Amino acid sequence: MSPADVGREARPDPVALLTAAVGPGDDPAGLAPALEAAVQHHGPACREAALLAALRAVLPVTERWLVGHGCSPEDAAASVADVDRKVDRYGLDGTGLDWLAQVATGRVVAVGRLQFERAAHLPDGTPAWGVHVPEVGPLDPDACDRSFAAAPAVLRRLDPDTTVDTFVCSSWLLDPQVTAVLGPTSNTARFAARFTLLPESDDPDEVHEAHHEGDESMAKFVFGTDLATARQADPVGRLQHAVQDRWAAGGHWSERTGTAPVGVPFRT
């Protein structure tokens, strides 16, 4: 069977796995590995087509579940649209099957401009709502205000037995060096200013990992490519120039984590 044939007909095993996982806020342990195992018989050449077919097959089920549990039709449609948006931009492996499975089963929900991860946690294990920024246009502060204001009611309808009082975001957007480059009045800086940064680790291994993840994120989200290619790219715009200048000087970028209280309006 060719990859195109597999793509036209999703196999029942991975679809059944995804369908059974739609809805509940807790992250189903081992879903991504189970999906990989379910398509293994197709062989490496057909793996991606089989996984994408399964992910796409469950999206109508997830969209209906979200609407039935309190999402607006517009937000439900925007939630599941992230699967194809990410795959079109980064591919399946470039995006990560774990992320795509979370989106496809309703664990990452769009509320206006932003996405919210229903079962995120703080480093100490406290439940939180994760904040993500889909690549769908300018990071308008007023649109972000509306998302943060509307999200708690939506997320509590989806998970009525869960008590959450903190938003958490881990992103290259929160690296203070980005604000230094773009200026405090930029949309990116105003988004980052909503969050109180958690302290950076003093552990050398963790610092190295943070720099690696930060550099990889800069390459992926700022240049749209891998790190090696981004280092050699012709920079366009202030941020790309600044990213490459720091790399050339032997420096790095970091993914920082910040928190913000739920229900407290942000003021610039």
Side-chain angles (χ1 to χ4, degrees):
M1 181 179 289
S2 70
D5 291 333
V6 175
R8 283 194 291 267
E9 182 182 357
R11 294 294 182 177
D13 287 349
V15 176
L17 286 169
L18 287 163
T19 301
V22 169
D26 57 316
D27 190 12
L31 180 56
L35 290 170
E36 292 280 12
V39 302
Q40 190 174 19
H41 64 283
H42 291 305
C46 296
R47 164 189 168 268
E48 181 169 328
L51 288 170
L52 291 177
L55 290 164
R56 288 167 175 147
V58 80
L59 297 184
V61 177
T62 302
E63 188 172 350
R64 289 193 296 271
W65 187 91
L66 290 172
V67 172
H69 288 76
C71 278
S72 71
E74 295 78 13
D75 282 342
S79 297
V80 300
D82 196 57
V83 170
D84 277 327
R85 180 168 57 239
K86 286 290 197 301
V87 169
D88 288 347
R89 185 172 177 84
Y90 302 113
L92 186 146
D93 291 328
T95 301
L97 180 57
D98 183 68
W99 172 263
L100 293 173
Q102 287 196 71
V103 173
T105 56
R107 285 166 177 77
V108 177
V109 181
V111 181
R113 176 64 183 85
L114 303 173
Q115 293 170 310
F116 295 88
E117 187 176 348
R118 294 164 48 203
H121 294 85
L122 302 182
D124 65 3
T126 302
W129 286 324
V131 182
H132 300 272
V133 180
E135 296 160 285
V136 291
L139 195 55
D140 178 71
D142 290 338
C144 291
D145 284 344
R146 291 191 292 271
S147 288
F148 279 111
V154 174
L155 296 169
R156 286 171 181 144
R157 287 195 294 269
L158 295 174
D159 297 300
D161 297 328
T162 300
T163 301
V164 173
D165 58 14
T166 305
F167 292 115
V168 63
C169 180
S170 296
S171 175
W172 64 271
L173 293 165
L174 272 57
D175 186 334
Q177 298 172 88
V178 175
T179 293
V181 171
L182 298 180
T185 61
S186 66
N187 286 352
T188 298
R190 292 174 69 182
F191 175 81
R194 298 171 185 271
F195 299 92
T196 299
L197 293 180
L198 300 182
E200 290 187 283
S201 172
D202 294 327
D203 184 287
D205 291 336
E206 293 183 6
V207 171
H208 176 78
E209 180 64 22
H211 286 164
H212 174 74
E213 291 179 354
D215 289 340
E216 292 279 358
S217 290
M218 278 294 186
K220 180 176 181 178
F221 295 112
V222 176
F223 289 86
T225 187
D226 61 87
L227 181 56
T229 303
R231 287 181 180 275
Q232 301 300 320
D234 291 328
V236 177
R238 189 171 25 162
L239 183 55
Q240 287 193 1
H241 276 90
V243 170
Q244 285 197 341
D245 287 346
R246 179 164 289 277
W247 285 337
H252 299 278
W253 301 85
S254 294
E255 283 196 348
R256 295 294 302 272
T257 297
T259 63
V262 170
V264 178
F266 174 74
R267 294 288 182 267
T268 54

